């Protein structure tokens, strides 16, 4: 039996459908858990770097998510914006699936974006 991964359990893997995102809170910090078009799961900061819009409400296509507010697209792997008006990346977090549950570690930022501040 393998050890439980680092981070917090945020949802069941089955809760996140292909080409959809689910908003979860980790220590009061909003995170988007996203399943891309290929079925891979990703975890990134749920707030658009351009303005305070929830990315989990946006459209998922291939390996991108589009902010519903102004249309900026972000790469799910790197957090980099692919279109304006956003020009700063969103944080991408370590994610693991264990026994059908999704774990997100917001203390492990994978892309060099600023780490979240939590209470």
């Amino acid at each position: 039996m393998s050890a439980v991964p680092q981070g917090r359990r945020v949802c069941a893997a089955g809760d996140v459908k292909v080409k959809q995102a689910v908003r979860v809170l980790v220590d009061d910090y909003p995170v988007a858990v996203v399943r891309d078009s290929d079925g891979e799961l990703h975890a990134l900061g749920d707030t658009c770097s351009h303005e305070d819009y929830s990315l989990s409400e946006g459209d998922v296509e291939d390996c991108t998510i589009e902010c519903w507010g102004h249309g900026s697209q972000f790469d799910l792997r790197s957090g980099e914006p692919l279109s304006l008006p956003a020009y700063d990346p969103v944080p991408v977090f370590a994610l693991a699936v264990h026994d059908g549950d999704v774990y997100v570690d917001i203390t492990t930022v994978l892309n060099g974006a600023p780490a979240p501040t939590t209470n």
Side-chain angles (χ1 to χ4, degrees), residues 39-76:
E40 296 295 317
L41 287 167
H42 307 270
L44 59 151
D46 189 43
T47 305
C48 179
S49 62
H50 170 248
E51 283 195 20
D52 192 21
Y53 289 103
S54 172
L55 292 177
S56 62
E57 295 178 30
D59 292 328
V60 177
E61 190 63 45
D62 298 323
C63 200
T64 66
I65 191 163
E66 180 177 70
C67 177
W68 64 271
H70 292 106
S72 290
Q73 290 183 326
F74 294 88
D75 185 295
L76 295 172

mmCIF file of all heavy atoms in Angstrom, residues 39-76:
data_model
loop_
_atom_site.group_PDB
_atom_site.id
_atom_site.type_symbol
_atom_site.label_atom_id
_atom_site.label_comp_id
_atom_site.label_asym_id
_atom_site.label_seq_id
_atom_site.Cartn_x
_atom_site.Cartn_y
_atom_site.Cartn_z
ATOM 1 N N GLY A 39 -7.850 14.102 -20.347
ATOM 2 C CA GLY A 39 -8.206 13.439 -19.097
ATOM 3 C C GLY A 39 -7.214 13.626 -17.972
ATOM 4 O O GLY A 39 -7.390 13.073 -16.888
ATOM 5 N N GLU A 40 -6.146 14.406 -18.191
ATOM 6 C CA GLU A 40 -5.143 14.657 -17.156
ATOM 7 C C GLU A 40 -5.644 15.721 -16.173
ATOM 8 O O GLU A 40 -6.284 16.691 -16.577
ATOM 9 C CB GLU A 40 -3.830 15.126 -17.775
ATOM 10 C CG GLU A 40 -3.162 14.098 -18.651
ATOM 11 C CD GLU A 40 -2.702 12.872 -17.876
ATOM 12 O OE1 GLU A 40 -2.139 13.030 -16.770
ATOM 13 O OE2 GLU A 40 -2.924 11.754 -18.379
ATOM 14 N N LEU A 41 -5.313 15.543 -14.904
ATOM 15 C CA LEU A 41 -5.709 16.500 -13.875
ATOM 16 C C LEU A 41 -4.604 17.511 -13.611
ATOM 17 O O LEU A 41 -3.414 17.176 -13.648
ATOM 18 C CB LEU A 41 -6.037 15.766 -12.574
ATOM 19 C CG LEU A 41 -7.344 14.987 -12.572
ATOM 20 C CD1 LEU A 41 -7.409 14.048 -11.382
ATOM 21 C CD2 LEU A 41 -8.532 15.938 -12.571
ATOM 22 N N HIS A 42 -5.010 18.746 -13.313
ATOM 23 C CA HIS A 42 -4.092 19.846 -13.020
ATOM 24 C C HIS A 42 -4.668 20.651 -11.865
ATOM 25 O O HIS A 42 -5.889 20.700 -11.684
ATOM 26 C CB HIS A 42 -3.944 20.776 -14.236
ATOM 27 C CG HIS A 42 -3.576 20.074 -15.490
ATOM 28 N ND1 HIS A 42 -2.266 19.872 -15.871
ATOM 29 C CD2 HIS A 42 -4.337 19.493 -16.455
ATOM 30 C CE1 HIS A 42 -2.247 19.215 -17.011
ATOM 31 N NE2 HIS A 42 -3.484 18.971 -17.386
ATOM 32 N N ALA A 43 -3.791 21.316 -11.113
ATOM 33 C CA ALA A 43 -4.222 22.207 -10.039
ATOM 34 C C ALA A 43 -3.528 23.548 -10.214
ATOM 35 O O ALA A 43 -2.307 23.612 -10.353
ATOM 36 C CB ALA A 43 -3.874 21.614 -8.676
ATOM 37 N N LEU A 44 -4.314 24.611 -10.238
ATOM 38 C CA LEU A 44 -3.741 25.942 -10.377
ATOM 39 C C LEU A 44 -4.545 26.926 -9.564
ATOM 40 O O LEU A 44 -5.689 26.654 -9.179
ATOM 41 C CB LEU A 44 -3.664 26.381 -11.841
ATOM 42 C CG LEU A 44 -4.933 26.446 -12.647
ATOM 43 C CD1 LEU A 44 -4.797 27.502 -13.730
ATOM 44 C CD2 LEU A 44 -5.174 25.115 -13.315
ATOM 45 N N GLY A 45 -3.933 28.072 -9.278
ATOM 46 C CA GLY A 45 -4.647 29.123 -8.573
ATOM 47 C C GLY A 45 -5.911 29.466 -9.328
ATOM 48 O O GLY A 45 -5.893 29.619 -10.547
ATOM 49 N N ASP A 46 -7.023 29.588 -8.624
ATOM 50 C CA ASP A 46 -8.321 29.767 -9.280
ATOM 51 C C ASP A 46 -8.612 31.214 -9.653
ATOM 52 O O ASP A 46 -9.631 31.493 -10.249
ATOM 53 C CB ASP A 46 -9.439 29.230 -8.382
ATOM 54 C CG ASP A 46 -10.775 29.199 -9.088
ATOM 55 O OD1 ASP A 46 -10.828 28.785 -10.264
ATOM 56 O OD2 ASP A 46 -11.780 29.611 -8.470
ATOM 57 N N THR A 47 -7.724 32.134 -9.340
ATOM 58 C CA THR A 47 -7.987 33.542 -9.620
ATOM 59 C C THR A 47 -7.154 34.007 -10.804
ATOM 60 O O THR A 47 -5.926 33.868 -10.805
ATOM 61 C CB THR A 47 -7.672 34.402 -8.385
ATOM 62 O OG1 THR A 47 -8.424 33.890 -7.272
ATOM 63 C CG2 THR A 47 -8.048 35.853 -8.621
ATOM 64 N N CYS A 48 -7.819 34.572 -11.811
ATOM 65 C CA CYS A 48 -7.134 35.109 -12.985
ATOM 66 C C CYS A 48 -6.123 36.153 -12.540
ATOM 67 O O CYS A 48 -6.401 36.954 -11.634
ATOM 68 C CB CYS A 48 -8.156 35.722 -13.942
ATOM 69 S SG CYS A 48 -7.423 36.452 -15.426
ATOM 70 N N SER A 49 -4.960 36.154 -13.156
ATOM 71 C CA SER A 49 -3.919 37.116 -12.784
ATOM 72 C C SER A 49 -4.208 38.515 -13.321
ATOM 73 O O SER A 49 -3.546 39.475 -12.929
ATOM 74 C CB SER A 49 -2.553 36.639 -13.281
ATOM 75 O OG SER A 49 -2.539 36.545 -14.691
ATOM 76 N N HIS A 50 -5.201 38.667 -14.177
ATOM 77 C CA HIS A 50 -5.555 39.975 -14.711
ATOM 78 C C HIS A 50 -6.539 40.696 -13.794
ATOM 79 O O HIS A 50 -6.334 41.854 -13.453
ATOM 80 C CB HIS A 50 -6.152 39.835 -16.121
ATOM 81 C CG HIS A 50 -6.750 41.091 -16.647
ATOM 82 N ND1 HIS A 50 -8.108 41.230 -16.839
ATOM 83 C CD2 HIS A 50 -6.198 42.264 -17.006
ATOM 84 C CE1 HIS A 50 -8.354 42.442 -17.304
ATOM 85 N NE2 HIS A 50 -7.210 43.085 -17.412
ATOM 86 N N GLU A 51 -7.605 40.003 -13.406
ATOM 87 C CA GLU A 51 -8.595 40.549 -12.491
ATOM 88 C C GLU A 51 -9.148 39.418 -11.654
ATOM 89 O O GLU A 51 -8.896 38.252 -11.927
ATOM 90 C CB GLU A 51 -9.717 41.273 -13.244
ATOM 91 C CG GLU A 51 -9.297 42.635 -13.743
ATOM 92 C CD GLU A 51 -10.473 43.503 -14.163
ATOM 93 O OE1 GLU A 51 -11.616 43.243 -13.747
ATOM 94 O OE2 GLU A 51 -10.229 44.445 -14.918
ATOM 95 N N ASP A 52 -9.925 39.754 -10.680
ATOM 96 C CA ASP A 52 -10.402 38.793 -9.679
ATOM 97 C C ASP A 52 -11.586 37.976 -10.213
ATOM 98 O O ASP A 52 -12.711 38.098 -9.724
ATOM 99 C CB ASP A 52 -10.782 39.539 -8.396
ATOM 100 C CG ASP A 52 -11.002 38.610 -7.234
ATOM 101 O OD1 ASP A 52 -10.499 37.478 -7.273
ATOM 102 O OD2 ASP A 52 -11.680 39.029 -6.277
ATOM 103 N N TYR A 53 -11.311 37.128 -11.207
ATOM 104 C CA TYR A 53 -12.322 36.227 -11.762
ATOM 105 C C TYR A 53 -11.903 34.785 -11.484
ATOM 106 O O TYR A 53 -10.715 34.448 -11.560
ATOM 107 C CB TYR A 53 -12.467 36.412 -13.276
ATOM 108 C CG TYR A 53 -13.130 37.702 -13.677
ATOM 109 C CD1 TYR A 53 -12.384 38.767 -14.156
ATOM 110 C CD2 TYR A 53 -14.511 37.842 -13.590
ATOM 111 C CE1 TYR A 53 -12.984 39.952 -14.535
ATOM 112 C CE2 TYR A 53 -15.127 39.027 -13.968
ATOM 113 C CZ TYR A 53 -14.364 40.076 -14.438
ATOM 114 O OH TYR A 53 -14.970 41.241 -14.803
ATOM 115 N N SER A 54 -12.890 33.949 -11.211
ATOM 116 C CA SER A 54 -12.625 32.530 -10.947
ATOM 117 C C SER A 54 -12.368 31.802 -12.260
ATOM 118 O O SER A 54 -13.228 31.757 -13.139
ATOM 119 C CB SER A 54 -13.825 31.906 -10.230
ATOM 120 O OG SER A 54 -13.664 30.518 -10.123
ATOM 121 N N LEU A 55 -11.188 31.213 -12.389
ATOM 122 C CA LEU A 55 -10.860 30.469 -13.605
ATOM 123 C C LEU A 55 -11.694 29.197 -13.738
ATOM 124 O O LEU A 55 -11.962 28.751 -14.849
ATOM 125 C CB LEU A 55 -9.370 30.119 -13.639
ATOM 126 C CG LEU A 55 -8.416 31.291 -13.803
ATOM 127 C CD1 LEU A 55 -6.977 30.808 -13.749
ATOM 128 C CD2 LEU A 55 -8.688 32.034 -15.098
ATOM 129 N N SER A 56 -12.105 28.625 -12.621
ATOM 130 C CA SER A 56 -12.862 27.372 -12.686
ATOM 131 C C SER A 56 -14.216 27.546 -13.362
ATOM 132 O O SER A 56 -14.856 26.564 -13.725
ATOM 133 C CB SER A 56 -13.034 26.770 -11.290
ATOM 134 O OG SER A 56 -13.757 27.640 -10.450
ATOM 135 N N GLU A 57 -14.649 28.777 -13.563
ATOM 136 C CA GLU A 57 -15.900 29.034 -14.273
ATOM 137 C C GLU A 57 -15.685 29.166 -15.783
ATOM 138 O O GLU A 57 -16.634 29.347 -16.538
ATOM 139 C CB GLU A 57 -16.559 30.301 -13.730
ATOM 140 C CG GLU A 57 -16.987 30.161 -12.284
ATOM 141 C CD GLU A 57 -17.602 31.419 -11.732
ATOM 142 O OE1 GLU A 57 -18.217 32.182 -12.497
ATOM 143 O OE2 GLU A 57 -17.454 31.650 -10.516
ATOM 144 N N GLY A 58 -14.431 29.069 -16.217
ATOM 145 C CA GLY A 58 -14.103 29.241 -17.630
ATOM 146 C C GLY A 58 -14.154 27.944 -18.405
ATOM 147 O O GLY A 58 -14.375 26.860 -17.860
ATOM 148 N N ASP A 59 -13.928 28.066 -19.697
ATOM 149 C CA ASP A 59 -13.946 26.920 -20.604
ATOM 150 C C ASP A 59 -12.577 26.251 -20.646
ATOM 151 O O ASP A 59 -11.546 26.922 -20.659
ATOM 152 C CB ASP A 59 -14.323 27.360 -22.023
ATOM 153 C CG ASP A 59 -15.767 27.838 -22.114
ATOM 154 O OD1 ASP A 59 -16.615 27.312 -21.368
ATOM 155 O OD2 ASP A 59 -16.033 28.732 -22.930
ATOM 156 N N VAL A 60 -12.593 24.912 -20.702
ATOM 157 C CA VAL A 60 -11.373 24.119 -20.814
ATOM 158 C C VAL A 60 -11.314 23.554 -22.223
ATOM 159 O O VAL A 60 -12.287 22.977 -22.710
ATOM 160 C CB VAL A 60 -11.354 22.970 -19.782
ATOM 161 C CG1 VAL A 60 -10.113 22.118 -19.955
ATOM 162 C CG2 VAL A 60 -11.462 23.525 -18.373
ATOM 163 N N GLU A 61 -10.188 23.735 -22.888
ATOM 164 C CA GLU A 61 -9.977 23.193 -24.231
ATOM 165 C C GLU A 61 -8.532 22.734 -24.325
ATOM 166 O O GLU A 61 -7.621 23.492 -23.994
ATOM 167 C CB GLU A 61 -10.279 24.253 -25.290
ATOM 168 C CG GLU A 61 -10.321 23.713 -26.693
ATOM 169 C CD GLU A 61 -11.427 22.682 -26.911
ATOM 170 O OE1 GLU A 61 -12.563 22.907 -26.472
ATOM 171 O OE2 GLU A 61 -11.126 21.642 -27.534
ATOM 172 N N ASP A 62 -8.349 21.500 -24.779
ATOM 173 C CA ASP A 62 -7.012 20.908 -24.840
ATOM 174 C C ASP A 62 -6.365 21.027 -23.461
ATOM 175 O O ASP A 62 -6.875 20.490 -22.495
ATOM 176 C CB ASP A 62 -6.168 21.532 -25.947
ATOM 177 C CG ASP A 62 -6.782 21.292 -27.329
ATOM 178 O OD1 ASP A 62 -7.335 20.200 -27.541
ATOM 179 O OD2 ASP A 62 -6.727 22.205 -28.162
ATOM 180 N N CYS A 63 -5.247 21.754 -23.350
ATOM 181 C CA CYS A 63 -4.564 21.906 -22.064
ATOM 182 C C CYS A 63 -4.578 23.371 -21.627
ATOM 183 O O CYS A 63 -3.599 23.891 -21.092
ATOM 184 C CB CYS A 63 -3.141 21.360 -22.147
ATOM 185 S SG CYS A 63 -2.471 20.975 -20.519
ATOM 186 N N THR A 64 -5.723 24.049 -21.871
ATOM 187 C CA THR A 64 -5.862 25.452 -21.483
ATOM 188 C C THR A 64 -7.190 25.666 -20.774
ATOM 189 O O THR A 64 -8.133 24.887 -20.927
ATOM 190 C CB THR A 64 -5.814 26.404 -22.704
ATOM 191 O OG1 THR A 64 -6.960 26.175 -23.518
ATOM 192 C CG2 THR A 64 -4.537 26.215 -23.507
ATOM 193 N N ILE A 65 -7.226 26.745 -20.000
ATOM 194 C CA ILE A 65 -8.479 27.209 -19.418
ATOM 195 C C ILE A 65 -8.606 28.687 -19.745
ATOM 196 O O ILE A 65 -7.611 29.422 -19.735
ATOM 197 C CB ILE A 65 -8.538 26.948 -17.899
ATOM 198 C CG1 ILE A 65 -9.951 27.201 -17.374
ATOM 199 C CG2 ILE A 65 -7.485 27.740 -17.142
ATOM 200 C CD1 ILE A 65 -10.213 26.585 -16.005
ATOM 201 N N GLU A 66 -9.806 29.106 -20.087
ATOM 202 C CA GLU A 66 -10.047 30.491 -20.479
ATOM 203 C C GLU A 66 -10.818 31.208 -19.382
ATOM 204 O O GLU A 66 -11.847 30.710 -18.909
ATOM 205 C CB GLU A 66 -10.857 30.537 -21.774
ATOM 206 C CG GLU A 66 -11.142 31.942 -22.257
ATOM 207 C CD GLU A 66 -11.891 31.953 -23.577
ATOM 208 O OE1 GLU A 66 -13.075 31.575 -23.583
ATOM 209 O OE2 GLU A 66 -11.280 32.320 -24.582
ATOM 210 N N CYS A 67 -10.324 32.358 -18.985
ATOM 211 C CA CYS A 67 -11.021 33.184 -18.004
ATOM 212 C C CYS A 67 -12.303 33.716 -18.638
ATOM 213 O O CYS A 67 -12.268 34.295 -19.728
ATOM 214 C CB CYS A 67 -10.132 34.340 -17.554
ATOM 215 S SG CYS A 67 -10.968 35.465 -16.410
ATOM 216 N N TRP A 68 -13.405 33.527 -17.950
ATOM 217 C CA TRP A 68 -14.690 33.940 -18.500
ATOM 218 C C TRP A 68 -14.854 35.456 -18.495
ATOM 219 O O TRP A 68 -15.673 35.999 -19.229
ATOM 220 C CB TRP A 68 -15.832 33.282 -17.727
ATOM 221 C CG TRP A 68 -15.894 33.700 -16.284
ATOM 222 C CD1 TRP A 68 -15.256 33.122 -15.223
ATOM 223 C CD2 TRP A 68 -16.616 34.800 -15.758
ATOM 224 N NE1 TRP A 68 -15.527 33.792 -14.067
ATOM 225 C CE2 TRP A 68 -16.370 34.836 -14.363
ATOM 226 C CE3 TRP A 68 -17.446 35.771 -16.301
ATOM 227 C CZ2 TRP A 68 -16.934 35.797 -13.524
ATOM 228 C CZ3 TRP A 68 -18.002 36.726 -15.462
ATOM 229 C CH2 TRP A 68 -17.743 36.725 -14.083
ATOM 230 N N GLY A 69 -14.056 36.177 -17.702
ATOM 231 C CA GLY A 69 -14.216 37.624 -17.583
ATOM 232 C C GLY A 69 -13.725 38.407 -18.787
ATOM 233 O O GLY A 69 -14.442 39.234 -19.335
ATOM 234 N N HIS A 70 -12.485 38.145 -19.216
ATOM 235 C CA HIS A 70 -11.898 38.903 -20.323
ATOM 236 C C HIS A 70 -11.256 38.034 -21.386
ATOM 237 O O HIS A 70 -10.603 38.541 -22.289
ATOM 238 C CB HIS A 70 -10.867 39.915 -19.788
ATOM 239 C CG HIS A 70 -11.481 41.010 -18.986
ATOM 240 N ND1 HIS A 70 -11.378 41.061 -17.613
ATOM 241 C CD2 HIS A 70 -12.224 42.067 -19.352
ATOM 242 C CE1 HIS A 70 -12.029 42.131 -17.174
ATOM 243 N NE2 HIS A 70 -12.556 42.760 -18.216
ATOM 244 N N GLY A 71 -11.361 36.716 -21.252
ATOM 245 C CA GLY A 71 -10.918 35.831 -22.318
ATOM 246 C C GLY A 71 -9.461 35.402 -22.297
ATOM 247 O O GLY A 71 -9.019 34.721 -23.218
ATOM 248 N N SER A 72 -8.704 35.771 -21.282
ATOM 249 C CA SER A 72 -7.315 35.296 -21.217
ATOM 250 C C SER A 72 -7.309 33.782 -21.080
ATOM 251 O O SER A 72 -8.101 33.213 -20.335
ATOM 252 C CB SER A 72 -6.580 35.902 -20.011
ATOM 253 O OG SER A 72 -6.351 37.267 -20.212
ATOM 254 N N GLN A 73 -6.402 33.135 -21.799
ATOM 255 C CA GLN A 73 -6.238 31.686 -21.693
ATOM 256 C C GLN A 73 -4.937 31.394 -20.961
ATOM 257 O O GLN A 73 -3.939 32.092 -21.147
ATOM 258 C CB GLN A 73 -6.200 31.046 -23.072
ATOM 259 C CG GLN A 73 -7.521 31.082 -23.787
ATOM 260 C CD GLN A 73 -7.440 30.374 -25.123
ATOM 261 O OE1 GLN A 73 -6.413 30.403 -25.794
ATOM 262 N NE2 GLN A 73 -8.530 29.731 -25.498
ATOM 263 N N PHE A 74 -4.963 30.327 -20.146
ATOM 264 C CA PHE A 74 -3.787 29.921 -19.382
ATOM 265 C C PHE A 74 -3.463 28.465 -19.692
ATOM 266 O O PHE A 74 -4.364 27.629 -19.786
ATOM 267 C CB PHE A 74 -4.045 30.065 -17.873
ATOM 268 C CG PHE A 74 -4.229 31.485 -17.442
ATOM 269 C CD1 PHE A 74 -5.481 32.079 -17.471
ATOM 270 C CD2 PHE A 74 -3.150 32.252 -17.024
ATOM 271 C CE1 PHE A 74 -5.664 33.393 -17.080
ATOM 272 C CE2 PHE A 74 -3.318 33.563 -16.631
ATOM 273 C CZ PHE A 74 -4.579 34.141 -16.660
ATOM 274 N N ASP A 75 -2.171 28.178 -19.828
ATOM 275 C CA ASP A 75 -1.708 26.812 -20.007
ATOM 276 C C ASP A 75 -1.820 26.098 -18.665
ATOM 277 O O ASP A 75 -1.317 26.588 -17.650
ATOM 278 C CB ASP A 75 -0.259 26.821 -20.490
ATOM 279 C CG ASP A 75 0.256 25.443 -20.821
ATOM 280 O OD1 ASP A 75 0.355 24.609 -19.900
ATOM 281 O OD2 ASP A 75 0.569 25.201 -21.994
ATOM 282 N N LEU A 76 -2.473 24.949 -18.641
ATOM 283 C CA LEU A 76 -2.697 24.224 -17.398
ATOM 284 C C LEU A 76 -1.410 23.639 -16.816
ATOM 285 O O LEU A 76 -1.328 23.405 -15.616
ATOM 286 C CB LEU A 76 -3.720 23.108 -17.612
ATOM 287 C CG LEU A 76 -5.124 23.572 -17.978
ATOM 288 C CD1 LEU A 76 -5.991 22.373 -18.349
ATOM 289 C CD2 LEU A 76 -5.747 24.368 -16.839
#
